[in-house]
Amino acid sequence: MMMRCKSSGNHLWVQLRFFCNKSSYPLHICIVGSGPAGFYTADKLMKRFGQAKVNMLERLPTPFGLVRSGVAPDHPETKVVVNQFSRVAASDRFSLIGNVSLGKDVSVEDLRKLYHVVVFAYGAESDRELGIKGEDLKGVHSAREFVWWYNGHPDGLKLTLDLERTDTAVILGQGNVALDAARILLRPTEDLMQTDIAEHALAALRRSQVRKVFLVGRRGPVQAACTAKELREILGIKGLNVFVQEADLVTSPADMEEMKLNRSHKRVYELFTKAAMKSLSESVGNEKELHFVFFRAPSAILPCDDKVHVGGVSLEKTTLQGQIINGQQLAVGTGVFEELACGLVLKSIGYKSKLVAGLPFDLKKGVIPNFQGRVLNDEAQNSKYEKGLYVVGWLKRGPTGIIGTNMICAEEVVESIAQDLEQGLLTSFLDVPGYFGLLELLQDKAIQFLSFDDWQKINQEEIRRGELKGKIREKIVRTEEQLEVARKVRV
């Protein structure tokens, strides 16, 4: 039930008394973030600790993190995992508290007082910077912003995206997110009409003049960061001309060693080889184009004549060192530059987590310093660990891996919690407020929050609207409207 909170003046939690016996004592756990990392952790915690009470904080009114806001709309099979997460949320030992922001509505110190264990799983909601001239020009955006825009993330509504002023887009990066962005720009809109793509994005893509997309990578086809599955999909778009330079496919002994060490790199390279052969014999006129540009690093983003909008990208040619470090060769600049004209640039060079007051943070790596999920103490005064604080997912390991990777990550963190509990390293077994203490805190601040039942109302309304348009769902993209729908009692 969604709560419009008002101070009750009573300590609700004081009315609750728990047994001090460890076998019957409920462990109160708060997980911050409702994406895959958070839900996998909640599931494993409730299975490991039979009486654990798990509360999950989410800053948006809607749960599921990147499954809702990061997975491309033409990949509905990847989103099926929300069914598993919904079963976790159905437990009477689980509570979702949506529309509550860490650092704004509640602090880290608040949570430490309210729970035995706090697990931070809020992912990466910022972007790495190139650190080159021209990043602030109009028409230069991060791939994350673009993904949020077409997926209907409330923060994506801030993006001012003009797809009608240019026929050429440059995407810096060749990972799966870069391929997702290129695919959405190039795929026929008829293929997207039945997906859950945001309506404003579909309308803009219908008017789009973008016909050419260049995917730029600083290394070669052997080192491309995308998976074979994603590459195969974009290469199979009907009516799309794909261009790969044959000269870029020449391999060195170090390349062969990389492919030997990593079979996925070999599969990707083989797909690029087939694409190069096909582009020579089966190109179609007057259709959209996808160009893979290898061995190029952006050195500057160039303005057009008005000095305000992007007009192109300066690229430095690179070469590989030949020495394999951590399974990869490094690219180094050659001092030779060339320019690529365009009117849209998307930077797909990696996500970055945000610093939150009260938590240590590694600015260089963009993660919370940790050992097997245990948050490390900045000053290591009494212990090298922050007692009761843990981290999971991208915030723990950086923005790497697929959705399923978070399952393995969650297992490690839950094991760390179990070990610390067994060794008596967590908060002593005294009453802690837990859920009812959090409710009181939110009531005192008059913060309106949503439960999982409230999310179900939003979910049902999105599905209903989608059915009217022949879509999987029609996402409600504005926070205010989501809250309004959650308030309604359906008859």
Side-chain angles (χ1 to χ4, degrees), residues 239-290:
L240 178 65
N241 287 328
V242 179
F243 296 92
V244 178
Q245 298 296 320
E246 281 193 293
D248 290 336
L249 295 168
V250 176
T251 56
S252 67
D255 289 330
M256 300 302 292
E257 182 64 19
E258 276 197 63
M259 287 190 282
K260 184 178 178 181
L261 292 171
N262 192 321
R263 293 186 63 185
S264 64
H265 283 187
K266 182 179 180 181
R267 288 192 292 269
V268 167
Y269 174 78
E270 289 171 346
L271 286 170
F272 279 127
T273 302
K274 291 178 181 177
M277 295 172 61
K278 186 176 180 181
S279 66
L280 293 174
S281 59
E282 300 181 25
S283 61
V284 182
N286 300 318
E287 292 292 342
K288 295 181 179 180
E289 299 177 4
L290 174 63

Side-chain angles (χ1 to χ4, degrees), residues 202-257:
L202 185 60
L205 289 166
R206 286 192 178 113
R207 300 189 302 268
S208 174
Q209 297 302 308
V210 176
R211 295 292 178 269
K212 299 178 184 179
V213 173
F214 291 80
L215 279 164
V216 179
R218 63 179 65 239
R219 295 182 295 164
V222 171
Q223 296 80 26
C226 60
T227 61
K229 179 179 180 294
E230 290 277 351
L231 181 58
R232 190 178 295 110
E233 182 177 7
I234 198 168
L235 295 178
I237 293 178
K238 185 178 180 181
L240 178 65
N241 287 328
V242 179
F243 296 92
V244 178
Q245 298 296 320
E246 281 193 293
D248 290 336
L249 295 168
V250 176
T251 56
S252 67
D255 289 330
M256 300 302 292
E257 182 64 19

Side-chain angles (χ1 to χ4, degrees), residues 431-459:
D431 291 359
V432 292
Y435 177 74
F436 292 100
L438 180 60
L439 251 61
E440 184 179 19
L441 176 65
L442 297 177
Q443 286 173 344
D444 288 343
K445 294 184 177 183
I447 295 170
Q448 179 178 310
F449 64 92
L450 276 68
S451 68
F452 197 79
D453 286 342
D454 295 321
W455 151 246
Q456 294 287 27
K457 294 179 185 178
I458 298 171
N459 182 45

Side-chain angles (χ1 to χ4, degrees), residues 458-470:
I458 298 171
N459 182 45
Q460 290 165 12
E461 179 61 16
E462 289 184 344
I463 292 172
R464 186 191 70 80
R465 295 183 186 187
E467 288 175 347
L468 296 176
K469 295 186 176 183

Side-chain angles (χ1 to χ4, degrees), residues 39-235:
F39 265 104
Y40 281 130
T41 303
D43 186 26
K44 294 181 183 301
L45 281 169
M46 289 192 294
K47 288 176 178 175
R48 184 69 175 264
F49 307 108
Q51 293 188 344
K53 306 285 188 180
V54 176
N55 300 159
M56 182 175 283
L57 293 188
E58 169 56 51
R59 78 174 182 89
L60 298 178
T62 57
F64 307 134
L66 67 82
V67 179
R68 178 177 170 91
S69 302
V71 175
D74 55 350
H75 285 175
E77 70 285 351
T78 305
K79 303 185 183 188
V80 173
V81 71
V82 301
N83 296 331
Q84 177 185 347
F85 297 160
S86 295
R87 289 192 292 272
V88 173
S91 170
D92 59 4
R93 295 189 288 124
F94 177 95
S95 298
L96 176 73
I97 301 100
N99 199 44
V100 174
S101 180
L102 177 67
K104 176 185 175 184
D105 301 322
V106 296
S107 68
V108 172
E109 191 58 33
D110 289 333
L111 298 180
R112 297 187 82 161
K113 293 176 181 177
L114 294 170
Y115 295 92
H116 297 112
V117 171
V118 183
V119 182
F120 299 97
Y122 58 81
E125 295 189 336
S126 184
D127 308 288
R128 298 186 183 278
E129 296 292 329
L130 285 166
I132 60 176
K133 187 177 179 180
E135 281 190 85
D136 58 345
L137 290 169
K138 288 187 177 180
V140 180
H141 309 284
S142 72
R144 175 193 57 81
E145 292 175 310
F146 183 60
V147 170
W148 279 9
W149 174 78
Y150 66 64
N151 270 326
H153 190 292
D155 293 350
L157 301 178
K158 303 172 186 176
L159 182 64
T160 303
L161 191 65
D162 188 353
L163 300 179
E164 299 179 62
R165 69 179 300 272
T166 183
D167 67 349
T168 303
V170 169
I171 301 176
L172 302 174
Q174 294 178 336
N176 284 344
V177 175
L179 262 63
D180 280 348
R183 198 176 65 253
I184 295 299
L185 286 171
L186 294 170
R187 188 183 282 282
T189 52
E190 305 84 62
D191 294 351
L192 298 172
M193 289 174 58
Q194 296 182 338
T195 71
D196 66 353
I197 189 171
E199 189 61 31
H200 63 259
L202 185 60
L205 289 166
R206 286 192 178 113
R207 300 189 302 268
S208 174
Q209 297 302 308
V210 176
R211 295 292 178 269
K212 299 178 184 179
V213 173
F214 291 80
L215 279 164
V216 179
R218 63 179 65 239
R219 295 182 295 164
V222 171
Q223 296 80 26
C226 60
T227 61
K229 179 179 180 294
E230 290 277 351
L231 181 58
R232 190 178 295 110
E233 182 177 7
I234 198 168
L235 295 178

